[in-house]
Amino acid sequence: MSTTHAIPLDHAGLMPYLVVHDAARAIEFYRSLFGAVEVSRMNRPGSERVMHAELVIRDAVFMLSDEFPEQGHRSPLAYGGLPPVSIMLYVQDVDALFAKAQELGAKPIMPPTDMFWGDRFCKFADPFGHLWAVSTHLRDVPPEEMAAAAANFCPEP
């Protein structure tokens, strides 16, 4: 006998849910770039449009679907700009991933840069309009050093 859990045991408490134009192509992009594993996919009956899919990058689940404008579900591309939210991911080699992202059609926003908080960090928009912030952690920065570096990075007006 199975026990039903209010929060599925294989899901974190917080997961991104992306609405994309051409979900099948997005799934392939995330597989190719991040090594995402497709866990499930449900197409709209009688259609190739993806109503819901779940993917995993390492131990993080994220979900996505095609646009369904008739239900108010639109991708960032429908709004003509970058979203105000980015998805953060740590990787082994941010430079290699940034280069591969561009090869796969991502738009560079910020090239990999060594940042004051100890990460090598970059940003790009995937071909579906979602903003990704990707880092490789280089070193732990003591709090005093971080505070001083942050003040220099973002001086008061």
Side-chain angles (χ1 to χ4, degrees):
M1 183 169 135
S2 72
T3 303
T4 301
H5 298 273
I7 299 172
L9 297 178
D10 59 347
H11 288 67
L14 179 66
M15 294 167 284
Y17 199 111
L18 309 180
V19 176
V20 297
H21 179 79
D22 196 348
R25 193 167 69 94
I27 290 167
E28 188 53 41
F29 176 86
Y30 300 135
R31 277 184 184 161
S32 297
L33 183 59
F34 300 124
V37 174
E38 183 178 337
V39 176
S40 67
R41 184 187 306 201
M42 177 177 26
N43 287 352
R44 185 177 193 166
S47 170
E48 292 298 312
R49 291 171 68 195
V50 176
M51 288 177 55
H52 177 80
E54 292 186 17
L55 292 91
V56 176
I57 298 174
R58 291 193 305 273
D59 61 349
V61 175
F62 71 104
M63 302 172 184
L64 62 85
S65 75
D66 267 307
E67 292 180 298
F68 288 91
E70 63 277 13
Q71 297 172 356
H73 300 282
R74 299 180 193 279
S75 78
L77 297 177
Y79 299 102
L82 292 175
V85 174
S86 62
I87 302 161
M88 176 64 190
L89 179 67
Y90 277 99
V91 299
Q92 290 293 319
D93 185 345
V94 70
D95 292 274
L97 188 120
F98 186 76
K100 186 174 183 180
Q102 290 178 81
E103 289 171 16
L104 293 172
K107 175 186 172 190
I109 304 297
M110 177 184 173
T113 305
D114 291 347
M115 301 304 290
F116 68 88
W117 59 82
D119 288 358
R120 186 154 176 81
F121 176 83
C122 73
K123 282 187 177 182
F124 57 85
D126 69 26
F128 314 97
H130 291 282
L131 188 59
W132 292 81
V134 182
S135 284
T136 298
H137 188 65
L138 302 176
R139 67 185 187 97
D140 295 329
V141 179
E144 306 78 31
E145 182 183 333
M146 182 147 352
N152 290 331
F153 187 77
C154 302
E156 290 292 323

